[in-house]
Amino acid sequence: MQQWVGVGRTAWLSIGMRRGLHTSIVPQAGQKLRIQQGLGRSGNEFGFLHDEPDFYYEDGRKPEVTPKQRKWMNKRKRTQQRVDRLLQEMDEGRERILRAEAAANATGAESKK
């Protein structure tokens, strides 16, 4: 007979009554499938409710942004800036290659004359 004891967020201890102590990380429900599909680990890590509050005050004001929300917003902003920079570098590299190919074709056409 085994007994599962939770330790931390996802680590569990399996206490085997006959065979001693076993440690393993047990994926939570659907976690493995979501990770295989390239989604977030828990399903609530991204999205509108994660980034902004799901309520407004009666007079229409939004609640203040919490430090944790600010941290996530800054992390997403840095990630977006990095993606933009990498895409720009790829575009510049593509243009350089096309210019080099065009120059090579132009010099090749002149040498055939």
Side-chain angles (χ1 to χ4, degrees):
M1 179 173 175
Q2 289 189 346
Q3 178 182 2
W4 291 92
V5 180
V7 178
R9 290 179 73 177
T10 56
W12 290 79
L13 291 177
S14 169
I15 301 174
M17 296 303 175
R18 292 185 181 181
R19 298 184 187 244
L21 181 68
H22 309 282
T23 59
S24 63
I25 294 180
V26 179
Q28 303 298 318
Q31 179 179 358
K32 184 177 178 181
L33 177 67
R34 285 191 296 271
I35 290 173
Q36 287 174 347
Q37 293 176 347
L39 301 172
R41 180 178 52 84
S42 68
N44 65 353
E45 296 171 345
F46 302 101
F48 181 76
L49 294 179
H50 188 271
D51 296 336
E52 296 182 14
D54 60 344
F55 69 95
Y56 295 96
Y57 291 111
E58 197 170 295
D59 59 2
R61 293 179 297 128
K62 288 184 180 182
E64 291 186 23
V65 178
T66 65
K68 196 169 192 176
Q69 287 172 323
R70 190 174 315 281
K71 174 185 153 191
W72 278 101
M73 291 163 59
N74 290 336
K75 181 179 178 181
R76 286 204 173 88
K77 184 177 180 181
R78 285 191 311 269
T79 302
Q80 185 62 46
Q81 289 171 344
R82 182 167 186 243
V83 168
D84 290 342
R85 189 184 76 239
L86 292 173
L87 287 172
Q88 182 181 6
E89 288 176 9
M90 287 177 56
D91 289 341
E92 290 170 358
R94 185 179 306 123
E95 289 174 11
R96 228 181 337 219
I97 290 171
L98 291 174
R99 280 193 303 251
E101 288 176 352
N105 289 340
T107 57
E110 290 177 6
S111 63
K112 289 184 183 178
K113 290 182 181 180

